Amino acid sequence: MLCLIPKRRVARFYRYISMKSAPTDTAASNPFLDSSLVNYVDAPNDFHVDSAKVYGHFLTEEEGESLKIDVLSRMRRRRILKGHWDAVITNYKEIELQDFDSHSLSPVSSEAIERVRRHIAQSHSGINSGSLKWLPCHAIFLKKEGYLLPHVDSVKFSGGIVAGLSLMSSTIMRLKPASPGELDSADNEDSTFDAAINSDNKCIENAGHVDLLLPPLSLYVLSGVSRFRYTHELLPSGCEFNMPAGNSQTNTIDINRDDRISVIFRDTNESV
């Protein structure tokens, strides 16, 4: 049975996020990194804390609304897909957001995407923002009842960064050490077996995990071990996020996930 969040707790939590990380005049160049949105308490010993970061209010309200409208308008004629060939995701729609096409994004959305790319290049790659090569963004609409199971994104074409903007609804992303089978499936994107249900591909049990709370307008960035050696998944609605010790707000937040949009960023694999 799902535990719904009392409205006063939701309001208090988002008031806290807004006060800590609402955009300011300098936010575009140096957005506030919110360590309270990442829980390392159960992290494995080999986890690197710098490999998973969350920016709690990276987008402005205007940017978030513009991206939502642009994405939903391009998905209007697409049907909800019940599953994917690898059985990792269900109840979703997906589109590619080309940088230049006949149906270009609004100026506000385009600038928001470029701002994300500049920030990642400058803060997470050590590469000049103009030198890092990007794959086209993917936008994913996930229904409330949909799921995204543990997986490692393919390394066949994408490089060392996986990042995402969250719109419409909060969710919890969980990182867990990947099994050898899951790492093999990431190396072989064309494989036809079901990465999510093959018994050899299950996450290593009882090895620990790291939780990322992704509120609307937030940006997460995975690199290093989080990108290559850990699976990521979205937990179902009704799960709890435990705020790191020492936070002055409530220690536990119940997340009642609703329909949501993710805009995914990946750099190119320069060795291809």
Side-chain angles (χ1 to χ4, degrees), residues 4 9 48 51 79 86 124 129 193 226 230 240:
L4 299 181
R9 290 188 66 191
H48 297 173
S51 70
R79 61 185 180 86
D86 58 10
H124 293 273
S129 59
F193 64 82
S226 291
Y230 278 63
E240 295 180 341

Side-chain angles (χ1 to χ4, degrees), residues 40-114:
Y40 305 108
V41 171
D42 296 311
N45 292 333
D46 69 345
F47 186 79
H48 297 173
V49 296
D50 288 338
S51 70
K53 299 294 185 182
V54 179
Y55 298 84
H57 206 298
F58 189 92
L59 293 179
T60 65
E61 295 286 348
E62 180 187 15
E63 289 170 332
E65 184 66 18
S66 178
L67 278 167
K68 183 183 78 170
I69 291 172
D70 280 344
V71 168
L72 291 179
S73 68
R74 283 157 179 75
M75 289 182 170
R76 187 172 58 249
R77 298 182 182 278
R78 293 178 179 253
R79 61 185 180 86
I80 295 291
L81 300 176
K82 296 301 183 182
H84 190 259
W85 65 265
D86 58 10
V88 165
I89 187 170
T90 188
N91 288 297
Y92 73 104
K93 299 180 182 181
E94 184 176 18
I95 58 170
E96 191 174 85
L97 300 177
Q98 293 288 350
D99 293 336
F100 303 100
D101 60 24
S102 57
H103 302 288
S104 59
L105 299 173
S106 68
V108 173
S109 295
S110 295
E111 173 53 29
I113 287 174
E114 287 308 309

Side-chain angles (χ1 to χ4, degrees), residues 252-266:
T252 301
I253 302 295
D254 302 314
I255 301 300
N256 186 30
R257 198 188 79 197
D258 211 326
D259 296 351
R260 69 187 311 272
I261 292 173
S262 302
V263 180
I264 308 301
F265 297 77
R266 299 182 182 93

Side-chain angles (χ1 to χ4, degrees), residues 168-230:
M168 296 173 55
S169 174
S170 295
T171 192
I172 300 171
M173 175 176 282
R174 175 162 291 178
L175 310 179
K176 294 189 289 189
S179 70
E182 286 165 323
L183 295 176
D184 286 344
S185 68
D187 289 334
N188 298 282
E189 187 181 60
D190 296 331
S191 175
T192 56
F193 64 82
D194 289 341
I197 60 176
N198 188 309
S199 61
D200 293 333
N201 291 348
K202 294 296 184 183
C203 287
I204 301 172
E205 296 295 333
N206 303 316
H209 64 270
V210 175
D211 284 345
L212 283 60
L213 178 57
L214 309 179
L217 308 180
S218 67
L219 169 71
Y220 72 85
V221 183
L222 306 180
S223 60
V225 295
S226 291
R227 161 68 179 100
F228 294 111
R229 309 300 300 178
Y230 278 63

